[in-house]
Amino acid sequence: MSAKRRTRSTKEHVVTSYRPMTHLQFEGARHLHPERLPTKQKEKTASLRIFDVTKNTVDKVQPYAGTIRRLMLSGLKITSVPDSLTCRMLLLERLDLSENMLGDGSLPDSLQALVNLRELNLSGNKFSKVPAKLNKLKNLMRLDVSHNNIESLRGAEKLRRMQVLVVNNNRFTVLFKDLAQMRKLEILDCSCNNIREIGVEIRNLQALKDVNVSDNRITVLPVDIFKLPLLESLKASHNQISKVPNFTIPPQNRHWLSELDLSENVINKFPGLLLTMTKKLYLRANKIKALNWNSMKNVDWQTDQELVVDDNPLKTPPRDVCDCGLKSMLHYLKEVQADVSVYQGIKMFVIGSPESGKTSFVNSLVDNQARLSTELYEKSSGIETYDVEFECTPMSEEDTHLRVLQLSIWDFCGNPFYLSPHYLFLEQPAIVVLTFNMKTYTSESFDKMVGCWFDWMLAKSNKQVVLLVGTNKDKLKLHEAKAVCSEVKTRLSDYLKKQREIIEKKLAAIEKLKNISPTLQDQFKTYTTLLQSKFTVQSEVIMISSAEFIGFDIIRASIEKLANDKKLFPDVLRLIPTFWLDVENYIEEKGSQEIVPVMEWDDYEKEIVGKFGMKHLLKMITQYLHETGKILWFQKYPSLEKYVFLRPSWLFDINKCLFRHDLKEKLNVDVEDAFKSIGINQVKFESLKNEFLSQGIIDKEFLRCLFSQLVPIEETSNFQFILKLLMEGFECGYPVTKVSRTEYDLNVEPDDKGNVKATKFLLPWFRILEEAESVQELWQPLEERRRLVALCKFPKYMPPGMFETLSVRCHRSGHNLRFLSHWNRGIHARHKTLKVQIKISYTQMLDSEGATLRFEMRDEADKDVEETPASAMWGILLPVLIDFEDILQGFSGTLVERLMECPHCRSASFIGEWLTPKETQNMATRPCEACGEQVDTAFLVQPREKKRDDVLFQLAKTRRRRAAITTDPQLPHAARQLANARRVATFVLPPPPSALPPIIEVRLEDNPNLIEKEPDVSEPVVETQVKVKEESPEAENDMAADISQFLGSRFAHMRRDKLNRVEELHLKMLISEDESN
């Protein structure tokens, strides 16, 4: 409206002679000009718009200032806002200063006092930075600073109530770091800037619904943006996005985006995954050449989804099919797929030190174009997975079959923290790619960049297949790059040669001996196996540049050559039956729908066989799926073999929640409302976090918080299953109890029903405490007492995580140990029934990566009581050693020496023969090579049963505790009958009926495995019974403990809990010639 002069009678109140106020709104108003329609009610002005900010106008506005809630000053071309205009508008909620000429410093100081301001519009001005005064506006919820020259949002980062933020058409290059605290933000428009990346901080913006990042310079969309739980619309067109990352959204968090626009980018691989979460997907004007059936096969055929792929160089499906919509595309691809042969793929593990260019290499290989990952994505955690397909070269000119190699790429984070948890996944068959940065390589860094990774791989298995890749070729001159590769090749050759020399020296030392004992024969065989390594390394280092996409043709050719090598990978590129593919598709679909995609084997077998039949093929199909990375089935690990993981990425995500090198940084979060529902406020969260980071002890509820993104907090049963899986299956920790503010009891006793109820768990991998003084206070006084010491020496390399796993196993009830202390390199425990202490610790060698693991037991019986017999000590130590040997089975490439310490001179001068004890068992003493003393063999190897007086000690103890036992008189006679013949005695313990006492039945029969002496076949088999009268369940447990203790030195696998669980337990032992008692 024009500012014409208004004429009124002199009796009328003149608002202003120049009429600057063109819009007035009153609370409860019925007209814009209430002076024309007088009412009895005194009305208050709530909204005001003016056309100038002259002193006269400002003065006239003052009478209304106390009630104004909305002030509009847009389009006035003003360069500043008078302080007097807003100083009294304390109720102001909305302020519009758009389309002016305001610049830095043009806002009044009184703006800071507008504590009720909810909405501020500064668009279309000349600001180069966000006014610092805005940080005082704590209630500001909507801010528009579009069409300015702003480069940073600093000055508004503390506005935590922000819901709508519009910053388009500015000069931002970095934005999301300043948004991290705006956790209530719902709408974000940052289009038309120079933003290069969307930072990980976006994961904090869980309330986002609408995001517009179009017309920027973004190259990668992070996984976190797709995992925002409330996201409805994402516009990212007109960028430089070349790929959409692989990701998995848990079923409970899955939701539909109404619109996802990725048009006008450079995407070359169809992101079919997005069809599972988007109603309208726009991919117009990219570089997509083909749509993939595997990425679209799970789309609902009755869907109303839209897929726009116009202006792409599509070859499959044809353009006319695409023009007919998504359903036509699905029909076409399904018909084509029916005629396509599928060949078995292979996993490829990519490893390397941090900043080795590993992730850039993976992204370039997957996208088949130059890709450089920023520092943000280089600092990943855990394992990231990618799928890529290679078209293999025909075997001959006559070969017309198109073979496609499916490659499942696992990108291992290079931080040393992950060396232990990632060992589980380093399995064959697979191709391992080791990357190192040629630009930063020096002679001194060989061990860190290359050597240590070969140590890590060789310890797991000596059958690895490795490609060595040097990155950053573009940053070196050609002769410099060749010189680096030549040195690495030479150093690696020397490294492998040194490995062989260590083993050859040990073989030569054994060969020189005149008499080779069974133990040395076993060692000779082990060394020979290590020497016959099938370790395969590409002869030349492959030089690449991810920035210029150089060398990737050689990479592809090398991978294809290895995949075709039937000696290395006999099953790779074999034709897969259609039936197997049906099972694969079913499992993939099921895994994508489950919150916890894990099945126990029995349930898995029942479901798959029930649907497809062919039970005899199930293990073969499951192994195929495991080897190709479709599922995980750890059949070589007893604690995990009964589980099938239908979605590997889920397990990787679970590990990322707990096993992270940046855990301290990761846990710097604000408590969410979901945490408060289980009683975790901010104070308690910080307390539990500090407990975990300092003690390595994690609270059960705190663990629920960490897993909340994968398992809803209200899903108690699923969480309990995961907890059991981690603690028992993966052996991550054991239960403990907090007894005071700073003290913990490392032992949790079961209740009457045998259940352990724990709220806290000690995770050895996070135990950073040093050995406490209390350990030596208990240990040092036993220095001169009877002891047993076994050592496992690793001359070259001790695989990380072995001690931690052993410490968890030692805590199990079967070992009957009560933990006294647990520190970063050792544990100290006391046996629950015998008067002995045990200490297990390891020390690192100073001159190499090797280490020594020490198992030491010391007697602590009262001085006026007979010392604990050596055989009783062996009954405790041997099961621990056998547990450690079981762990060693998973590291077939590890060189280890087993030793026993002389009780006189304390030198490790005897070979550890606990695996092959027979020869030493037949000797009374053996001389120590170091001190010459004759050593009782009871201190070197576990004695035979009933051979020494210590067995009588055990029998006397048993009789005292088991007064209710009555022995059949035939039993001694039966034993005497076996004095001159070797027999097998089988103890059978059936579960007792409620009304009858339990019976231990002893069956004596010929031992068919003996070759030293043939048994007297004419002698009849004797059967006898030992009846035991039981008074209570506690007495039954005592009986089980007695039998376990009595036989433990020979049968390390004997466990008290097995006696309580199994229906019938057979224990076999050899009756030797001199065993007549």
Side-chain angles (χ1 to χ4, degrees):
M1 297 179 62
S2 59
K4 294 181 180 180
R5 184 183 301 271
R6 180 185 299 174
T7 59
R8 297 171 183 261
S9 66
T10 57
K11 294 182 180 180
E12 288 182 319
H13 176 69
V14 181
V15 178
T16 177
S17 59
Y18 295 99
R19 195 190 171 213
M21 291 173 286
T22 62
H23 177 89
L24 290 172
Q25 180 180 339
F26 296 90
E27 289 183 348
R30 294 178 296 278
H31 198 276
L32 293 178
H33 302 282
E35 71 276 9
R36 297 181 182 178
L37 296 171
T39 63
K40 295 180 181 181
Q41 179 183 0
K42 186 176 180 181
E43 298 168 344
K44 300 177 181 178
T45 306
S47 179
L48 175 64
R49 177 167 183 166
I50 62 178
F51 280 134
D52 66 65
V53 290
T54 62
K55 183 178 184 304
N56 186 33
T57 300
V58 172
D59 291 341
K60 295 296 182 181
V61 166
Q62 296 307 311
Y64 309 102
T67 61
I68 293 294
R69 285 187 170 86
R70 180 181 181 184
L71 177 61
M72 292 168 284
L73 301 175
S74 60
L76 304 185
K77 307 300 180 184
I78 57 177
T79 58
S80 63
V81 179
D83 188 76
S84 57
L85 177 62
T86 57
C87 64
R88 296 178 57 191
M89 296 184 180
L90 301 182
L91 298 181
L92 193 63
E93 296 178 357
R94 302 170 65 183
L95 177 58
D96 186 354
L97 297 174
S98 61
E99 304 300 331
N100 284 291
M101 301 179 69
L102 300 174
D104 301 332
S106 60
L107 297 182
D109 292 337
S110 60
L111 188 68
Q112 303 178 74
L114 304 181
V115 294
N116 292 307
L117 196 63
R118 302 285 193 275
E119 180 179 339
L120 177 61
N121 190 343
L122 298 177
S123 63
N125 282 282
K126 296 184 177 181
F127 290 102
S128 62
K129 59 183 179 180
V130 175
K133 298 179 178 67
L134 299 190
N135 258 333
K136 300 293 184 178
L137 305 177
K138 302 300 182 182
N139 292 313
L140 195 63
M141 300 169 65
R142 293 177 289 277
L143 175 63
D144 186 347
V145 292
S146 60
H147 295 274
N148 279 279
N149 299 312
I150 300 175
E151 298 180 356
S152 171
L153 204 62
R154 293 177 183 173
E157 66 271 13
K158 295 182 180 180
L159 301 177
R160 300 192 177 188
R161 295 192 178 185
M162 188 68 64
Q163 294 180 358
V164 179
L165 180 62
V166 182
V167 295
N168 60 286
N169 288 279
N170 277 282
R171 297 182 179 179
F172 288 101
T173 56
V174 177
L175 176 65
F176 290 88
K177 288 183 179 180
D178 297 325
L179 301 180
Q181 301 303 319
M182 298 183 183
R183 298 179 182 273
K184 295 184 179 181
L185 191 63
E186 297 181 5
I187 299 175
L188 172 63
D189 184 355
C190 55
S191 58
C192 301
N193 280 282
N194 294 314
I195 299 173
R196 295 178 178 271
E197 65 182 23
I198 299 176
V200 293
E201 294 80 12
I202 198 169
R203 68 178 58 155
N204 299 326
L205 309 180
Q206 295 289 301
L208 271 178
K209 296 179 180 179
D210 192 320
V211 179
N212 188 350
V213 291
S214 301
D215 289 282
N216 278 284
R217 303 177 68 182
I218 298 171
T219 58
V220 179
L221 289 175
V223 170
D224 298 288
I225 197 169
F226 296 104
K227 292 186 177 182
L228 295 175
L230 302 179
L231 188 65
E232 297 177 358
S233 174
L234 173 60
K235 300 180 181 69
S237 62
H238 296 84
N239 276 283
Q240 300 172 17
I241 299 170
S242 59
K243 71 170 294 183
V244 175
N246 290 329
F247 61 92
T248 302
I249 298 179
Q252 73 277 6
N253 296 335
R254 198 168 295 164
H255 67 285
W256 286 91
L257 274 68
S258 60
E259 179 183 7
L260 177 53
D261 190 355
L262 297 177
S263 302
E264 301 285 346
N265 279 286
V266 290
I267 299 172
N268 62 0
K269 183 179 179 181
F270 175 61
L273 177 64
L274 299 179
L275 281 176
T276 62
M277 58 182 295
T278 309
K279 292 184 177 179
K280 294 182 180 180
L281 178 59
Y282 298 97
L283 296 171
R284 185 178 56 81
N286 277 278
K287 296 183 178 181
I288 301 171
K289 296 181 180 180
L291 305 186
N292 189 295
W293 167 250
N294 288 331
S295 60
M296 300 177 67
K297 61 187 177 184
N298 293 326
V299 175
D300 185 1
W301 287 65
Q302 304 301 321
T303 183
D304 58 351
Q305 292 176 252
E306 294 183 25
L307 173 62
V308 179
V309 288
D310 299 342
D311 300 325
N312 277 282
L314 276 173
K315 296 181 180 178
T316 305
R319 184 180 299 274
D320 57 338
V321 174
C322 296
D323 292 339
C324 294
L326 180 57
K327 290 184 180 179
S328 297
M329 300 181 210
L330 292 173
H331 279 289
Y332 177 87
L333 291 173
K334 185 176 181 180
E335 292 176 1
V336 172
Q337 184 67 21
D339 299 326
V340 175
S341 298
V342 178
Y343 298 87
Q344 179 163 332
I346 190 173
K347 290 183 288 191
M348 187 175 85
F349 305 142
V350 183
I351 62 176
S353 301
E355 300 182 4
S356 65
K358 177 171 51 66
T359 303
S360 293
F361 160 75
V362 171
N363 289 330
S364 299
L365 183 64
V366 171
D367 295 340
N368 199 30
Q369 64 178 351
R371 279 286 315 281
L372 275 181
S373 296
T374 61
E375 182 181 0
L376 166 69
Y377 299 105
E378 197 68 49
K379 292 183 178 179
S380 57
S381 62
I383 299 175
E384 302 290 342
T385 60
Y386 307 83
D387 293 318
V388 67
E389 295 181 347
F390 292 167
E391 291 186 4
C392 295
T393 306
M395 302 295 291
S396 62
E397 294 182 0
E398 294 78 16
D399 185 6
T400 59
H401 296 285
L402 176 62
R403 296 186 306 158
V404 176
L405 174 63
Q406 300 180 46
L407 205 60
S408 179
I409 302 176
W410 294 10
D411 181 5
F412 287 59
C413 181
N415 192 285
F417 175 84
Y418 298 99
L419 292 179
S420 173
H422 285 174
Y423 255 138
L424 181 67
F425 307 105
L426 187 68
E427 291 186 310
Q428 289 296 314
I431 298 172
V432 182
V433 175
L434 172 58
T435 62
F436 70 97
N437 191 334
M438 294 191 295
K439 174 64 177 176
T440 59
Y441 174 84
T442 61
S443 299
E444 293 75 19
S445 64
F446 172 82
D447 289 335
K448 180 180 178 181
M449 288 187 171
V450 180
C452 68
W453 290 101
F454 275 91
D455 286 336
W456 184 69
M457 287 186 287
L458 278 170
K460 178 71 173 181
S461 171
N462 60 355
K463 298 179 181 179
Q464 305 287 350
V465 179
V466 183
L467 290 176
L468 195 55
V469 176
T471 62
N472 290 306
K473 180 183 177 182
D474 57 300
K475 296 182 179 180
L476 295 172
K477 295 179 180 179
L478 183 59
H479 72 276
E480 293 175 334
K482 287 184 176 180
V484 169
C485 292
S486 177
E487 179 180 341
V488 170
K489 181 181 176 181
T490 302
R491 293 284 299 274
L492 182 58
S493 177
D494 293 341
Y495 165 87
L496 296 175
K497 183 179 179 181
K498 184 178 179 181
Q499 292 283 93
R500 294 181 63 87
E501 288 177 351
I502 293 175
I503 300 173
E504 288 172 348
K505 286 181 180 179
K506 295 185 179 298
L507 283 172
I510 296 176
E511 289 174 338
K512 289 180 181 179
L513 299 175
K514 295 182 179 180
N515 298 315
I516 301 178
S517 66
T519 299
L520 291 176
Q521 290 178 12
D522 189 67
Q523 284 191 6
F524 190 90
K525 185 190 231 179
T526 301
Y527 294 152
T528 303
T529 303
L530 290 174
L531 203 58
Q532 295 171 347
S533 169
K534 296 182 180 179
F535 200 82
T536 304
V537 184
Q538 182 83 4
S539 58
E540 298 292 337
V541 178
I542 303 175
M543 299 183 292
I544 68 158
S545 167
S546 298
E548 299 181 1
F549 201 61
I550 298 173
F552 284 87
D553 53 340
I554 303 175
I555 292 288
R556 284 176 174 261
S558 300
I559 293 173
E560 182 181 342
K561 181 180 179 181
L562 291 172
N564 277 294
D565 191 332
K566 294 302 178 184
K567 293 183 179 180
L568 295 175
F569 305 113
D571 294 331
V572 176
L573 288 175
R574 62 173 172 171
L575 188 64
I576 301 302
T578 305
F579 167 70
W580 290 26
L581 298 176
D582 293 339
V583 176
E584 177 182 337
N585 292 334
Y586 177 80
I587 292 176
E588 180 182 351
E589 183 177 358
K590 182 176 179 63
S592 66
Q593 296 173 352
E594 297 290 337
I595 296 177
V596 179
V598 184
M599 298 182 71
E600 293 194 10
W601 177 262
D602 291 342
D603 297 331
Y604 171 81
E605 181 181 52
K606 182 179 179 180
E607 182 168 342
I608 301 302
V609 173
K611 185 172 182 63
F612 298 97
M614 299 292 185
K615 181 178 180 179
H616 65 287
L617 293 176
L618 182 59
K619 288 190 175 181
M620 191 182 301
I621 296 173
T622 306
Q623 185 62 25
Y624 149 72
L625 295 173
H626 173 79
E627 290 180 357
T628 53
K630 302 296 192 304
I631 67 170
L632 290 173
W633 180 40
F634 304 103
Q635 61 174 326
K636 296 180 181 179
Y637 295 84
S639 61
L640 289 171
E641 63 180 347
K642 68 176 182 179
Y643 299 108
V644 180
F645 299 85
L646 307 183
R647 195 169 74 234
S649 59
W650 176 86
L651 182 56
F652 298 154
D653 290 339
I654 285 289
N655 279 341
K656 288 178 189 177
C657 292
L658 187 60
F659 289 95
R660 298 183 65 98
H661 67 285
D662 56 350
L663 189 63
K664 186 175 182 179
E665 177 184 345
K666 173 75 173 176
L667 293 178
N668 288 330
V669 298
D670 293 332
V671 169
E672 301 176 4
D673 292 338
F675 297 179
K676 296 177 182 178
S677 67
I678 59 172
I680 305 290
N681 55 26
Q682 191 68 47
V683 174
K684 187 173 182 180
F685 182 87
E686 293 298 326
S687 174
L688 296 178
K689 180 182 73 173
N690 293 333
E691 179 183 51
F692 181 37
L693 295 177
S694 61
Q695 299 281 344
I697 295 176
I698 192 165
D699 187 87
K700 183 178 177 180
E701 300 304 324
F702 184 74
L703 196 59
R704 287 178 70 183
C705 295
L706 295 186
F707 291 156
S708 60
Q709 294 297 319
L710 298 174
V711 181
I713 284 185
E714 62 273 10
E715 292 279 349
T716 305
S717 60
N718 280 331
F719 171 74
Q720 290 292 347
F721 175 79
I722 294 175
L723 184 63
K724 178 182 178 182
L725 187 66
L726 288 174
M727 300 306 159
E728 297 181 10
F730 290 97
E731 301 174 316
C732 290
Y734 58 82
V736 298
T737 303
K738 190 171 186 177
V739 294
S740 68
R741 188 173 182 180
T742 58
E743 295 182 355
Y744 297 86
D745 186 350
L746 303 183
N747 310 273
V748 180
E749 298 299 330
D751 58 19
D752 296 338
K753 297 181 180 179
N755 299 321
V756 176
K757 296 182 180 179
T759 59
K760 295 182 183 293
F761 298 87
L762 188 150
L763 309 185
W765 285 266
F766 299 93
R767 192 74 166 173
I768 60 176
L769 301 178
E770 298 293 334
E771 181 178 348
E773 294 181 1
S774 59
V775 175
Q776 289 303 317
E777 290 174 1
L778 292 173
W779 188 251
Q780 193 62 33
L782 308 178
E783 178 69 23
E784 302 302 325
R785 303 298 296 272
R786 176 175 289 178
R787 69 171 70 190
L788 280 182
V789 182
L791 301 102
C792 288
K793 185 178 180 181
F794 299 85
K796 178 60 180 173
Y797 184 77
M798 178 178 173
M802 298 187 79
F803 165 75
E804 288 77 5
T805 302
L806 177 65
S807 64
V808 174
R809 292 195 179 187
C810 288
H811 194 272
R812 292 174 179 172
S813 59
H815 288 290
N816 219 17
L817 298 177
R818 181 171 183 82
F819 275 34
L820 302 175
S821 183
H822 189 156
W823 61 100
N824 57 352
R825 289 174 178 259
I827 57 174
H828 178 214
R830 175 180 282 137
H831 197 263
K832 293 181 180 179
T833 57
L834 295 180
K835 289 286 188 176
V836 293
Q837 292 184 25
I838 182 171
K839 183 179 179 183
I840 305 173
S841 60
Y842 75 95
T843 54
Q844 209 74 33
M845 294 183 182
L846 298 178
D847 56 344
S848 71
E849 293 294 325
T852 299
L853 184 60
R854 182 182 180 89
F855 304 79
E856 183 172 359
M857 294 190 63
R858 293 183 182 180
D859 170 63
E860 64 167 351
D862 296 336
K863 293 184 178 180
D864 56 346
V865 179
E866 184 180 357
E867 288 186 306
T868 304
S871 64
M873 288 186 171
W874 273 108
I876 302 169
L877 180 60
L878 186 60
V880 173
L881 292 172
I882 295 300
D883 255 341
F884 184 68
E885 294 292 343
D886 183 62
I887 297 171
L888 271 174
Q889 291 296 315
F891 299 89
S892 59
T894 300
L895 178 62
V896 58
E897 298 176 358
R898 298 166 181 85
L899 302 169
M900 291 297 296
E901 190 175 277
C902 173
H904 300 293
C905 66
R906 310 288 170 82
S907 62
S909 53
F910 294 93
I911 297 175
E913 301 182 78
W914 52 82
L915 294 180
T916 52
K918 191 171 183 179
E919 181 183 27
T920 303
Q921 282 179 336
N922 293 326
M923 304 171 65
T925 62
R926 289 191 67 173
C928 173
E929 295 180 357
C931 65
E933 291 286 341
Q934 291 291 328
V935 178
D936 187 346
T937 57
F939 294 93
L940 306 179
V941 70
Q942 63 273 27
R944 295 181 186 274
E945 282 76 23
K946 302 184 180 180
K947 185 176 180 181
R948 298 179 179 275
D949 292 339
D950 47 47
V951 175
L952 298 178
F953 168 86
Q954 286 294 322
L955 288 174
K957 178 183 174 184
T958 301
R959 291 192 185 100
R960 287 195 301 269
R961 296 178 57 193
R962 310 293 306 162
I965 295 180
T966 59
T967 306
D968 189 284
Q970 289 185 351
L971 185 59
H973 176 68
R976 285 193 294 272
Q977 281 186 311
L978 295 172
N980 296 317
R982 295 188 177 221
R983 296 287 186 173
V984 174
T986 303
F987 289 74
V988 184
L989 177 65
S994 57
L996 297 175
I999 295 177
I1000 299 179
E1001 183 181 21
V1002 182
R1003 296 175 185 168
L1004 306 177
E1005 57 188 4
D1006 293 339
N1007 180 9
N1009 297 320
L1010 289 176
I1011 56 175
E1012 293 91 350
K1013 180 177 179 180
E1014 292 293 333
D1016 184 3
V1017 295
S1018 63
E1019 181 181 353
V1021 173
V1022 180
E1023 295 189 6
T1024 185
Q1025 291 186 341
V1026 181
K1027 294 185 178 180
V1028 183
K1029 181 180 179 182
E1030 290 296 333
E1031 300 294 339
S1032 65
E1034 289 77 11
E1036 181 184 347
N1037 289 337
D1038 290 341
M1039 177 189 70
D1042 289 340
I1043 296 175
S1044 176
Q1045 182 63 45
F1046 184 79
L1047 301 177
S1049 59
R1050 175 58 67 93
F1051 308 111
H1053 62 277
M1054 176 74 176
R1055 293 291 184 271
R1056 167 177 162 182
D1057 57 343
K1058 287 184 178 179
L1059 284 173
N1060 293 334
R1061 289 200 308 265
V1062 299
E1063 294 184 359
E1064 183 175 86
L1065 177 67
H1066 292 265
L1067 299 176
K1068 293 188 175 182
M1069 69 177 184
L1070 295 178
I1071 308 295
S1072 61
E1073 296 179 2
D1074 59 341
E1075 294 168 352
S1076 57
N1077 292 325

